[in-house]
Each structure stands twice: as structure tokens, then as C-alpha cells.
Amino acid sequence: MKFKSIAVQVSRKIISTIAIGTLLLSSAVGIKQFNDALENLKQRAHQSMRMTTKALSSPIWNYSENTIVEYGDEFTRDPDILYMEITDPQIDWIYRSDESLSDTQTKTRFCDSNDNFCSEAIVTREGEEIGRVFVIFSIKRVQKEALETAVIILMLGGLCIMILSILVRIFLRRIVEEPLSNLGDGARKLADGELDHNFVIQENNEVGNLAKNFMAMRDAIQLKISDLIEINDLSQKLNQLYESHNIEELLVQFCGQKLGTEKVCYYRKGQDDGLVEGSQLSDRMVSKEFMRDKGAEYLRASLRTRQIKAHRLESGLGVYIPIVKEDQSWFGVIVAVVPKEYDLVPYLVSVLENLARTAAIRLENLHVNVLLEQQNRNLEAIVNQRTQELRRKKDDIQAMLENINMGILTITPGQLIHQEYSKQMEQILESDQIANGQLMDVLFSSSDLSNDIKARMDSALRVAIGEHEMNFHVNYEAFVSSMHYFSPSGREKILELEWNPIIDQDGTVERIILSVKDVTEVRKLEELAKNQSRQFAVITEIVTVGSERYSEFMYSMDRAIGEVREAIDLNGQRNPEVINSIFRTLHTLKGNSRALGFKQMAEAIHNAEKVYSMLRQDPKMKWDRSTLRHGLNELEDCIGIYRDIYDQKLQKLGQDSKIPQLMAMLDEIDQEIDSGRPAQSLFPFHNKFKRILDGQLGLDYLFESIQGGICETASELNKRTPIVEYTKIDIFMDRDQFDAVRSVFVHLIHNSIDHGIEAPEERLMKRKDPQGLIQVDLGLHDGQRLQIHYQDDGRGLDIQALRASLSKDGIDHRSFSDWDLAHSIFNSGLSTKPTVTEVSGRGVGLDAVKHLVESHGGTITIELGEATAGFRSIAFRFDFILREPYNKGKLHVINSV
């Protein structure tokens, strides 16, 4: 902020006030003079006009033109008259002093001007108007005289202002500016530390009082500095003392000096906040006298408030100085007794408070030093103990690294391998050049990892070590977990790697521990065990279904695979019909495999059909024979495993696949004989023997062969195995038709379990048997047409889900009836399942059913039942044309499977 002199400001204000007054006065005088002169001019004009009318009365009457002109010229010699006009009503005008002002507009303009005023009088004779006198008067002379007077007054006022300003400036300089300047110089000297400077007091006024206050402040500062020096000296002395009783003695001496008394005593803090009498300045301070005189009560009050207190006692004025820490806890209290008339001024209280704070700090430091010494001794003991423990741990770690059957090394910044690593690492790598080597060169240069994988792992190590642990976890996938290592001796080893970060307290990865395990032999054993387990599973599957069913399945499998391979070879480009046909064939094979319990076979077929599923869904996908053949090759490899295991270990069990059926027939013959029936009743068995020996298969055998697949499908879908009720009818058919009928039932039963029959909990809520029921009615028409009616007791067909699937496929179903919607389930690729599983979801099951039925000369249709909560119960009705008519059996209804 810019400095502004008080004297200058005061003088400016005084001069400004006088100047404004002078200006106002000169203006008032000028206006007054102007108004008076103007009034005089108007009165003179009025008198002149009255005298003029009298003087012109005779000349105008007698029409003495010369006399009128002479009078007009004489009258206009007055400098205040601009224009005069004398008119006669009969002859218009007689006299005009200035022709340029004679027109009416000019006269009107001059009369309206502020510099002029006009006057007009009538000349009469014997009461009759004989003429008029018109005069324009100018007031410029009056204005000029008033302005000159105001200017003179202003000049005189300005001169007075100049003289007055000089006088005021001199006066203010003497009584204000110089004393204030002296005070400012003194304040600066005080600020510079010149505490012996004296302030000159010249006047007994406000400035003089200010000087006295500065001197009082100087004395107070000197006193405070003196006390601070004493407190500082006391603090230095306290810092040189290391015993509490010596500190107490020094405090008592200082208080006695400051208070001017020898009755000073220190009470230190005892157990349970009690008071213990400590050092005294002299034996004149008798504690019994003090306690008897309510001193203890006042002392406790001082400790409660943590402030210096003074109380009147019979023996004098008791002063209590508590030694308090910053957290308000206390060490003790100093008690002094001074004469009753002693004045404990605030300044002295401040000194004693500084004393108490200094003493508290020193006692606290002394206490802390004692604690630190004790802690140092404890820390030294702990450090020695931990050093011994670390030494033992280091020895244990070294022994572990020497004997552990695993390669362990530590990766340090720069991807250097730490010099401490396990002995097994040298045996794994067949090298002792490991310590301080680059990890990528030592471990990964002789591996089967690609350059891209090694580059990503190198980058991941760079951003992990020395950075936050998050980087390690984010890039963890870049660290390989296994690889093939080629040792210097030419051996190929399989190594497993495990990466673990060493993280400091800030979350930064300091190093990474890499564990390396040689699992070459373990992998060989695992592969051997896996193959044996696979072989055992295959053996179990084949034994479960029996040699006859296995042989039948392998026959149908070989025939179907041959048809698929032939379709691939004959078609050089994509053909939707061929793709759908192959997909249906594979899907049917998968269903039959699952029905017979051939899990590995079903999985291989499922993998093979994936490419055809993609071909169906993606019209842009190319028809690649090599890819399609590759999928079939993998499936044939799986078939080869089944065939090798059967040929090598189970072939004897299947030398005569007809024996089980023949044995069953013998049991039936025995029952007929035992019943005592006539010999004609054995004729049907003759036909059965003939058909079995001809290689034909019966429907009873069909339902038995798919029982395992029904149980497995229900288990995978977390449902109970449903009851299958079917009509027992003695019908035999060749292997081709048998496979077709069995495939139809596999697809239908899988569809019922997955889509129709509800979960056990839902069925219980609907008051249904939680197991589920499938009913199959078999009949023979005209001895050649096998008629089948199939229905389950599930929820039925989901109409809304079916409409959604049709919309998804781009089919306009708005005009479809429920019957039309129901028959759309035979469309290829249509499914109401949102996801694809090994059981369903590809939309091929019922499409395959329709294809199988129609390919054997039959038809299939759907019967709709009641609608419940958006679902329609359905039943399938279809038939097959048997190649060899047969109508000699009997019909029985049983609960089977």
C-alpha cells in the first residue's frame, strides 16, 4: 500500500474545504449582483418607456416625423437598448432603429433569448391610442459586470487559500508530521533491536500519549526478553540435569528468585495421583503449616484446572504453579508463599507459565529417555535373538535348498537369477551355470516355447518386478505353467512351473520365486494310467451292453460312417441337404451311443458334428473336405480303440451273439411245456428260432438295449429315470430297420426327458409322480405295417417358446395354428432350448426322427392334447413298413424298463 502523509492529507482536506467555500461564495455574490443589476435595468426600462410615451404623444398626434426620429435616435444611444420601433396604427410605422431587426421572426427570436428582454408601451392622447413603442433591451452588460465581480472574488479567494495552505502545512508539520516521524523512527529501531532508544515527548496530546505507549512497550519488551533469556538459561541448565530431584531443586530456586520469597516447595506426583513432598528452598517452608491453612485444598484446585492460582492464606498469599504436559497430564506442582500484599501481575503469571511448560518438557524428555534406554536394551536383546533365529532359518533354508526335490530359484530386478537356488535346479537343467544368469537364457532358450510366448513372458516380468502387485496378477496368464525342456544331454523333459511374487509392505513386487518340477516320469505314468482307465471304461461299457449289442452297434456305426465319408467324397461344394443329412446321421449315432452307454464314443461323435453345426448356422462357411475328413478320422480313431479293446480282450465273449436270445427262447419253451399245453403252441417258437438264426432282432431287445442311455440322460439332466410302458409284441425285423426304429425311440425318449418331463420338484407341485411316465403303444396292421403311438405325461409343447424360435429363424408364423406350430418342430435346426448341450439344443433330434421314419416308407404326425398355462400336451403317431410281414404274435401290456 502506498504511503500517505497524515499532514498532507489533513492540509489537502482543509484547502479543499476553503476552496469549495470560496467558489460557492463567489458564485453567490455574482448571482446576487446579476439579479440586482437586472432588476435595476428592468425598473429603468419601465421608467424610460413611461417617459417615452408621454414625450411622443404630441409629435405622433401632430405627425412630426423629424421630432420622432430625433427622439428615437437619442433614446437608442443607451448601450442596453438593441432596437426601438415606433408605430402609428394608421400608417403602420414611423421609426425603426435597425431595419435588420424589423421583421416579426427576428424580433420574436430576440425576445425569447436569455440575453434580452422586450418591452412594449401604448401612446395615448385624450384616452385614444395614437401609437405604440416597442423596445428590445440587452442584459449582456449586466452579465459581464456580474462575471467580473465573481472572478475578482475568486482570485482574492485563491490568494487567501495559497497563504492559508502554507500556514496549515507549517502548522501540521510541526505538531503532527515531525512527532509521528520520530515515533516511526523509534518503532523501526525497536524492530531492529535497539531497545535503549528514548522517545522524545514534545506535546501533551495524542501524539505524546502515543510516544508514552511506545516507551511502555519498549520497557515491556526489554522485560520479556530478559525473562526469556532467563527461561532459556534455565532450560539449558535443565537439559544438563538427568535426575528428577536436581530438576526440582533448580525449579524451586528459580521460583524463589522471581517471587522474592524463600517459602517455596515442590510436590511431585505420587502413586494414585497422590502428592509427595519434594525439594524445598529452605526450612522456613513448613509443610504442616501450609496444609493446616487450607493449602492442600487450593493445591488440588490448581491441579484440576491445570492453571496457576493464587489464594489468600493466613500465612500469606499462596501461589500454585502446576507442572503440566501438553496432553494435560501433570508431573507435580510448585507451591510458594509470598506476603499478602504481593501483586501477582499477569506478566509474572506468563513467566511462571513458561517456567512450568519448560519444566514439563524437560521432565517428559527425561521420562522418555528412561523409556528409550529401557527399550534400547530390550531391542538389543530382541535383535540378538532375531539374529540368531535368522541365522538358524538361513541355515534351514540352505539345507532345504540342498535337499528339496524341486527346483527353486529367485528372479531379481533385471530378470537375473539370485545366487541362492536349490540344488535340484542343477539336476533338472543339467547345468551349474545358473546364478546371476538371465532367466530367459538359462531356462527358456532350450524350451519348446514360441518366440511370441517368450516375448510376452519377458514383457510381463519387466512390468511386474519393481511395480505394484496388481501388474503381476494382471499379467499372470503370460507366465507359462508347463513346457518341454531340451537338456544339454539331448533329453526332453516336461517341466511344471509355478510363479509366486515376494511383496513388500507397500504392495510392490520385489522378487519372484519360480518353482520348477520335472514331471516327465509322472506324465508318462499319468498317460499310462489314463490309457488304462480309458480301456477299463471301454471294457465296462462293452461288458454292460453285451457282445451282441456291441456288435450290432459297431455294424451300424461302420455303415453310417461309410455313408458320411462317401457323401463328403462325392460333394465338392456345400450342399445344405447333404449337410443336414450328415448332421442327422451323426446326431442319431450320438443318441444311440448315449443310449448304449458308450460315453467316449458319444463325446467323439459330438466333437465330429460340431463342424456340421457351424456349416448349418453359417451360410458363408466354406465346404472344406480336409477339415471334414479330419473330424471323421478322429471319430474312427475312437472306434478303433473300442474295436482293439474288444478284439484283444473281449472277443471270446462275443463268439456267438445269438446265444442270449436262444437261451431266452429255451426258457419260454420250458414254460410252455410245463404248462401242459398242446404241441401246436410251440409253432410260434419255431418261427422265433428261425428269425433269430437269420439275424433278425425283436422289439423286446430294442427297449432293453436303450435302457442304459435313458438312465444316463436322466442323470445328466438331474431328473429321475422315467417309467417306460410299452406293448410287448413278438415282432422281428432285420438289422437295418431295427437300427432305424431304435434311433427313433432314442431321439423321442431324450426329447421327452429334456423338454417334456418336468423336474421332480415341479412334478410334485403339480401332484404328479416325480419319476415320469412314457407310454408306447405298438400295433401291427395287415401283418406288415408297424403302428406306434408315443406319449409322455410331461408339461407338453411350449407354444410361446416355439413361436420365439420361429421368429428367430425368420419364419412368419402369425397365421399358424397350434397344429402348424406343433409340426414345425420337425424343421431342421429348430430348437426351443436357449443353449446347446450334448443332449439337446441343436434342433436335429425330431428332424432325424422324421427323416428316419419317412426313409423307411412310414409317416409321422402329432396329436395335440389340452392346453395348460401356455403348453399343449402332444403325442407322436407313426408307422414303419416291415420288409417281411409277420402277424403270428400275441399282444401283452407290461410295465417295462
Side-chain angles (χ1 to χ4, degrees):
M1 183 180 292
K2 187 178 180 181
F3 174 76
K4 296 180 180 179
S5 173
I6 295 177
V8 173
Q9 294 182 49
V10 172
S11 62
R12 286 178 179 175
K13 289 182 179 180
I14 293 174
I15 293 170
S16 298
T17 303
I18 296 174
I20 293 171
T22 303
L23 180 60
L24 293 175
L25 177 61
S26 62
S27 300
V29 171
I31 293 171
K32 180 66 171 60
Q33 184 178 0
F34 172 73
N35 290 335
D36 292 345
L38 182 60
E39 185 63 30
N40 292 334
L41 179 60
K42 288 182 178 181
Q43 291 179 2
R44 186 163 57 84
H46 179 67
Q47 291 176 0
S48 298
M49 293 296 289
R50 189 173 53 183
M51 291 174 61
T52 301
T53 56
K54 290 181 180 180
L56 292 177
S57 175
S58 178
I60 292 174
W61 178 263
N62 296 321
Y63 193 67
S64 178
E65 184 178 355
N66 293 330
T67 303
I68 293 172
V69 172
E70 289 177 359
Y71 185 83
D73 291 339
E74 182 65 24
F75 188 80
T76 55
R77 287 192 181 96
D78 189 338
D80 295 330
I81 297 175
L82 292 179
Y83 175 72
M84 182 178 183
E85 182 180 80
I86 301 172
T87 59
D88 185 346
Q90 297 180 357
I91 59 174
D92 192 11
W93 63 275
I94 304 174
Y95 174 80
R96 289 176 177 170
S97 62
D98 190 349
E99 289 294 334
S100 61
L101 303 177
S102 61
D103 62 284
T104 303
Q105 291 182 353
T106 303
K107 289 189 290 184
T108 300
R109 180 167 54 82
F110 270 79
C111 290
D112 293 339
S113 174
N114 292 329
D115 295 335
N116 312 302
F117 69 89
C118 301
S119 180
E120 187 177 12
I122 300 174
V123 181
T124 61
R125 186 177 178 87
E126 296 179 359
E128 181 183 358
E129 180 181 349
I130 61 173
R132 287 179 178 268
V133 178
F134 175 77
V135 180
I136 298 176
F137 294 91
S138 173
I139 63 174
K140 289 185 178 180
R141 181 184 60 81
V142 176
Q143 291 176 342
K144 181 178 180 182
E145 290 177 355
L147 182 59
E148 290 176 352
T149 302
V151 170
I152 292 172
I153 294 173
L154 283 175
M155 293 177 64
L156 292 175
L159 180 60
C160 293
I161 290 171
M162 292 177 62
I163 297 172
L164 184 60
S165 64
I166 293 173
L167 296 176
V168 170
R169 186 77 176 92
I170 294 172
F171 173 76
L172 291 176
R173 184 178 182 83
R174 188 178 68 84
I175 66 171
V176 176
E177 187 173 354
E178 290 181 356
L180 289 179
S181 178
N182 293 333
L183 289 177
D185 293 339
R188 283 191 291 274
K189 291 181 180 180
L190 284 179
D192 293 338
E194 298 182 16
L195 300 179
D196 55 349
H197 177 73
N198 291 321
F199 293 88
V200 179
I201 303 174
Q202 296 179 346
E203 300 292 341
N204 188 17
N205 52 19
E206 289 81 356
V207 178
N209 290 335
L210 185 60
K212 293 178 182 179
N213 293 334
F214 268 105
M215 293 180 65
M217 181 179 66
R218 179 202 62 187
D219 297 337
I221 292 173
Q222 289 178 340
L223 186 58
K224 284 184 177 293
I225 290 176
S226 176
D227 291 333
L228 288 175
I229 292 174
E230 290 183 0
I231 294 294
N232 185 57
D233 293 340
L234 176 66
S235 177
Q236 293 180 357
K237 292 179 181 178
L238 290 174
N239 291 333
Q240 296 174 0
L241 301 177
Y242 296 94
E243 298 293 337
S244 59
H245 67 276
N246 294 332
I247 295 176
E248 295 172 4
E249 291 176 357
L250 185 59
L251 295 175
V252 167
Q253 291 177 4
F254 184 84
C255 287
Q257 293 176 2
K258 298 304 293 182
L259 296 173
T261 180
E262 294 182 353
K263 294 183 177 182
V264 184
C265 183
Y266 184 88
Y267 288 88
R268 71 174 67 93
K269 182 179 180 180
Q271 295 181 353
D272 300 328
D273 289 344
L275 292 172
V276 179
E277 184 176 338
S279 301
Q280 299 187 33
L281 187 59
S282 68
D283 55 1
R284 295 184 182 181
M285 180 61 186
V286 182
S287 59
K288 291 182 179 181
E289 175 187 356
F290 172 71
M291 293 298 179
R292 185 177 62 251
D293 203 9
K294 294 185 178 181
E297 180 181 347
Y298 296 142
L299 186 147
R300 289 291 181 183
S302 173
L303 287 176
R304 284 195 300 271
T305 61
R306 303 294 195 263
Q307 296 178 355
I308 297 176
K309 298 291 184 180
H311 296 281
R312 300 291 177 180
L313 306 173
E314 295 181 2
S315 57
L317 181 66
V319 180
Y320 309 92
I321 309 168
I323 310 301
V324 183
K325 297 190 294 184
E326 291 184 358
D327 61 357
Q328 298 301 307
S329 59
W330 59 285
F331 289 100
V333 60
I334 300 173
V335 181
V337 178
V338 296
K340 292 183 178 181
E341 63 276 8
Y342 191 88
D343 186 12
L344 190 63
V345 296
Y347 164 71
L348 185 57
V349 172
S350 176
V351 173
L352 296 176
E353 288 176 346
N354 289 333
L355 166 67
R357 283 193 292 269
T358 303
I361 292 173
R362 180 53 190 155
L363 289 173
E364 175 69 12
N365 292 338
L366 184 62
H367 178 68
V368 170
N369 289 337
V370 173
L371 293 178
L372 288 176
E373 290 178 359
Q374 181 63 35
Q375 290 179 358
N376 286 336
R377 288 192 293 270
N378 294 337
L379 286 175
E380 289 178 359
I382 293 173
V383 168
N384 293 332
Q385 181 182 358
R386 294 291 175 84
T387 302
Q388 295 176 1
E389 292 177 355
L390 290 175
R391 186 177 294 109
R392 288 195 298 270
K393 288 182 179 180
K394 182 179 179 181
D395 295 339
D396 293 342
I397 292 174
Q398 188 64 36
M400 180 182 66
L401 292 176
E402 291 290 335
N403 299 290
I404 191 171
N405 190 24
M406 180 185 294
I408 298 178
L409 57 82
T410 304
I411 308 169
T412 62
Q415 302 184 33
L416 294 176
I417 300 176
H418 193 269
Q419 59 185 2
E420 299 291 341
Y421 57 88
S422 66
K423 191 69 175 178
Q424 184 68 17
M425 184 62 72
E426 294 183 356
Q427 298 180 12
I428 293 174
L429 301 182
E430 298 182 12
S431 172
D432 57 359
Q433 304 298 318
I434 299 176
N436 300 320
Q438 284 287 336
L439 177 68
M440 303 304 293
D441 297 336
V442 173
L443 187 59
F444 299 110
S445 61
S446 300
S447 68
D448 64 337
L449 301 178
S450 65
N451 292 332
D452 180 59
I453 294 176
K454 289 190 283 188
R456 285 192 287 113
M457 186 163 49
D458 180 70
S459 299
L461 288 170
R462 293 181 186 277
V463 300
I465 301 177
E467 300 295 336
H468 195 272
E469 61 176 315
M470 182 186 298
N471 289 354
F472 175 84
H473 296 297
V474 169
N475 296 279
Y476 187 78
E477 293 184 357
F479 302 121
V480 296
S481 58
S482 64
M483 68 177 186
H484 288 253
Y485 175 78
F486 304 97
S487 66
S489 63
R491 295 177 55 196
E492 180 179 355
K493 299 182 180 181
I494 303 175
L495 304 182
E496 286 186 350
L497 293 81
E498 183 178 353
W499 309 75
N500 293 287
I502 300 177
I503 304 170
D504 63 11
Q505 59 183 3
D506 296 327
T508 302
V509 177
E510 293 183 337
R511 290 170 292 176
I512 295 177
I513 294 179
L514 177 59
S515 303
V516 182
K517 184 185 298 184
D518 185 356
V519 295
T520 305
E521 298 300 326
V522 175
R523 291 289 178 86
K524 291 180 180 179
L525 294 175
E526 288 178 350
E527 186 64 25
L528 179 61
K530 185 176 180 181
N531 292 333
Q532 291 178 349
S533 177
R534 187 185 298 113
Q535 290 180 8
F536 179 76
V538 171
I539 291 172
T540 302
E541 293 172 0
I542 295 175
V543 170
T544 301
V545 301
S547 297
E548 182 179 3
R549 295 181 187 176
Y550 165 77
S551 299
E552 294 169 359
F553 173 77
M554 295 302 289
Y555 168 78
S556 60
M557 178 70 74
D558 291 339
R559 186 184 61 186
I561 295 298
E563 293 175 355
V564 172
R565 187 175 292 280
E566 181 180 1
I568 295 173
D569 294 338
L570 293 177
N571 290 272
Q573 56 186 0
R574 63 177 295 134
N575 185 328
E577 294 182 0
V578 173
I579 294 173
N580 290 332
S581 175
I582 295 175
F583 188 74
R584 283 194 298 268
T585 300
L586 293 177
H587 197 74
T588 301
L589 291 176
K590 184 177 72 172
N592 291 335
S593 299
R594 295 174 60 83
L596 294 173
F598 294 147
K599 296 181 180 180
Q600 298 182 43
M601 187 78 71
E603 183 179 357
I605 298 173
H606 180 74
N607 294 332
E609 74 176 355
K610 287 180 180 179
V611 64
Y612 298 97
S613 176
M614 291 187 291
L615 280 170
R616 296 174 70 208
Q617 296 174 1
D618 186 4
K620 297 181 180 179
M621 186 174 177
K622 294 182 178 181
W623 175 272
D624 187 356
R625 289 179 177 178
S626 61
T627 303
L628 301 178
R629 292 191 184 106
H630 178 73
L632 285 182
N633 292 338
E634 292 182 351
L635 176 56
E636 289 179 337
D637 291 341
C638 181
I639 295 174
I641 293 174
Y642 275 78
R643 182 170 282 114
D644 292 341
I645 293 175
Y646 178 79
D647 293 343
Q648 296 174 9
K649 300 182 180 182
L650 300 175
Q651 189 172 14
K652 292 181 179 180
L653 298 177
Q655 288 179 351
D656 190 354
S657 61
K658 304 179 182 61
I659 291 178
Q661 296 188 67
L662 296 176
M663 292 300 295
M665 290 295 302
L666 289 176
D667 291 339
E668 293 185 26
I669 293 173
D670 289 339
Q671 292 176 7
E672 291 289 331
I673 294 173
D674 293 339
S675 65
R677 295 177 182 178
Q680 290 82 354
S681 63
L682 298 178
F683 290 157
F685 296 103
H686 174 269
N687 291 327
K688 290 184 180 181
F689 271 112
K690 182 177 183 300
R691 290 181 178 275
I692 291 173
L693 293 174
D694 289 341
Q696 295 187 356
L697 301 171
L699 285 178
D700 286 349
Y701 179 64
L702 183 149
F703 287 103
E704 293 175 5
S705 68
I706 63 176
Q707 171 62 22
I710 297 175
C711 297
E712 183 180 352
T713 300
S715 176
E716 290 184 2
L717 296 174
N718 296 319
K719 295 181 181 180
R720 296 188 182 181
T721 303
I723 297 173
V724 180
E725 292 184 355
Y726 66 95
T727 304
K728 185 176 182 181
I729 182 170
D730 292 336
I731 293 180
F732 288 81
M733 58 191 72
D734 61 31
R735 187 179 302 276
D736 183 32
Q737 285 192 323
F738 179 87
D739 290 341
V741 175
R742 182 174 62 180
S743 297
V744 168
F745 278 111
V746 167
H747 286 303
L748 289 178
I749 293 174
H750 283 187
N751 185 76
S752 294
I753 297 174
D754 192 16
H755 294 275
I757 298 176
E758 306 92 335
E761 299 80 7
E762 184 178 350
R763 293 182 63 84
L764 287 174
M765 293 177 63
K766 296 179 179 180
R767 297 185 178 181
K768 295 182 179 181
D769 189 333
Q771 192 168 3
L773 176 64
I774 297 175
Q775 294 176 316
V776 182
D777 293 331
L778 302 171
L780 190 65
H781 182 67
D782 296 334
Q784 187 175 6
R785 182 179 295 275
L786 176 64
Q787 296 178 336
I788 303 171
H789 184 270
Y790 177 94
Q791 186 174 13
D792 62 63
D793 68 342
R795 65 170 64 93
L797 186 63
D798 190 344
I799 299 298
Q800 296 301 322
L802 187 56
R803 288 184 181 274
S805 297
L806 290 172
S807 299
K808 183 178 179 182
D809 292 342
I811 300 175
D812 186 4
H813 56 81
R814 289 176 294 181
S815 61
F816 282 15
S817 64
D818 286 355
W819 190 90
D820 296 327
L821 288 172
H823 282 78
S824 66
I825 63 178
F826 294 119
N827 294 352
S828 178
L830 181 70
S831 175
T832 58
K833 280 288 186 178
T835 57
V836 176
T837 64
E838 291 188 5
V839 178
S840 63
R842 298 189 185 275
V844 72
L846 295 180
D847 174 34
V849 168
K850 182 180 179 184
H851 178 76
L852 287 169
V853 171
E854 292 178 347
S855 65
H856 286 79
T859 59
I860 185 168
T861 186
I862 294 176
E863 297 177 352
L864 291 177
E866 297 180 354
T868 305
F871 291 85
R872 292 290 300 269
S873 61
I874 63 172
F876 295 92
R877 184 175 294 278
F878 57 98
D879 54 18
F880 278 88
I881 303 298
L882 301 179
R883 293 191 177 92
E884 297 185 16
Y886 179 74
N887 57 359
K888 297 181 180 180
K890 292 188 290 184
L891 301 181
H892 303 278
V893 179
I894 64 171
N895 291 335
S896 179
V897 202

